Amino acid sequence: MTHDAMTHDARTHDARTDGVIRVALVDDQALMRAGFRALLDAEDGIEVVGEAADGAQGLELVRAEVPDIALIDVQMPVMTGIEATRRIAEDPALAAVRVVILTNYGHDAYVFDALRAGASGFLLKDTEPADLLQAIDVVARGEALLSPSVTRTLIGEFVSRPPDRATPPGLESLTRREREVTALAARGLTNEEIAAHMVISPYTAKTHISRAMTKLAARDRAQLVVFAYESGLVAARGAS
């Protein structure tokens, strides 16, 4: 693999200060990377900082550039997207990086594993360009990419299966209000919808969500949703 397979940009933009969302592309299909890059490069406010052709290169790229968002294919050679996501999530120096998993299938068994590993959401590779751009904006704001119904269906399907680890601790640390907002977030409601449901202000809903994330050491809202299902706070669709 030549050095061209993983390109870097020496600039160090910060989306939080200059409005530019910095994105890394990690996919073993060159044509797929080219398509995503052409779309993103044409958009004001988005900068593609580099590309990688496998998970190991992707991890190196993310460590070098510390982008706001890493778009990572779920299945790649050398290192899978799930393992790359796990290593990114476990690295304190990469705490600000949000991973969005790319997949060809809406019900890919690996996607929930990626959410468990620390991904902020996932996108189908054949998603509409406008939806891709909106998704990047959503994740860059620190929200979870969990609104599409296919994501909630996937979470419900895979969490309803026997867990491969013990039920995560921490539920007892949440207040009644925090449990309620966590459950509503797991059902796909936004802060505004949670506020309307609970008859509180959006700011208060956001505060409850933030406190629940802190208590549970959740990396982001997606991790809060994973916890809600794994802990039994929310029953998976079709579960008894």
Side-chain angles (χ1 to χ4, degrees):
M1 188 67 62
T2 66
H3 180 71
D4 291 339
M6 182 171 60
T7 57
H8 301 288
D9 190 316
R11 289 172 292 177
T12 56
H13 287 299
D14 188 331
R16 290 166 295 183
T17 58
D18 63 8
V20 175
I21 301 172
R22 305 173 72 248
V23 179
L25 300 175
V26 186
D27 195 303
D28 61 332
Q29 298 180 336
L31 188 59
M32 188 64 64
R33 294 198 310 272
F36 276 115
R37 180 156 202 155
L39 174 63
L40 298 178
D41 279 343
E43 188 72 12
D44 291 337
I46 297 178
E47 175 189 7
V48 177
V49 298
E51 302 176 20
D54 61 55
Q57 286 187 353
L59 182 60
E60 181 182 344
L61 171 61
V62 170
R63 285 172 173 167
E65 294 293 343
V66 193
D68 299 296
I69 295 173
L71 296 178
I72 300 181
D73 186 18
V74 71
Q75 298 183 64
M76 292 181 293
V78 185
M79 180 188 294
T80 67
I82 294 172
E83 181 59 26
T85 298
R86 181 176 294 109
R87 296 194 189 191
I88 290 170
E90 291 175 349
D91 189 341
L94 304 177
V97 178
R98 295 291 172 258
V99 174
V100 174
I101 292 293
L102 301 172
T103 178
N104 288 312
Y105 309 103
H107 295 278
D108 194 322
Y110 296 108
V111 173
F112 189 75
D113 289 338
L115 289 174
R116 279 175 168 159
S120 293
F122 80 98
L123 281 173
L124 297 180
K125 287 188 176 182
D126 62 355
T127 190
E128 293 294 326
D131 292 336
L132 170 64
L133 297 175
Q134 181 182 23
I136 288 176
D137 182 61
V138 166
V139 176
R141 293 199 306 265
E143 299 177 26
L145 190 58
L146 297 169
S147 294
S149 59
V150 65
T151 305
R152 294 195 296 273
T153 300
L154 180 144
I155 288 175
E157 177 180 346
F158 288 103
V159 180
S160 64
R161 299 179 181 183
D164 56 10
R165 64 182 185 185
T167 299
L171 186 61
E172 68 282 353
S173 70
L174 301 183
T175 66
R176 180 180 61 82
R177 282 297 215 185
E178 289 163 356
R179 291 189 188 196
E180 188 174 356
V181 297
T182 297
L184 292 173
R187 298 184 190 282
L189 274 65
T190 65
N191 287 347
E192 289 72 19
E193 290 169 337
I194 291 173
H197 182 88
M198 297 178 64
V199 195
I200 57 178
S201 72
Y203 176 80
T204 300
K206 182 177 180 180
T207 298
H208 286 315
I209 289 286
S210 297
R211 287 176 177 168
M213 288 172 56
T214 298
K215 289 181 178 181
L216 299 173
R219 178 179 171 85
D220 60 15
R221 196 181 183 102
Q223 301 309 297
L224 196 64
V225 172
V226 170
F227 171 86
Y229 280 98
E230 288 193 325
S231 67
L233 184 60
V234 174
R237 183 172 302 175
S240 57

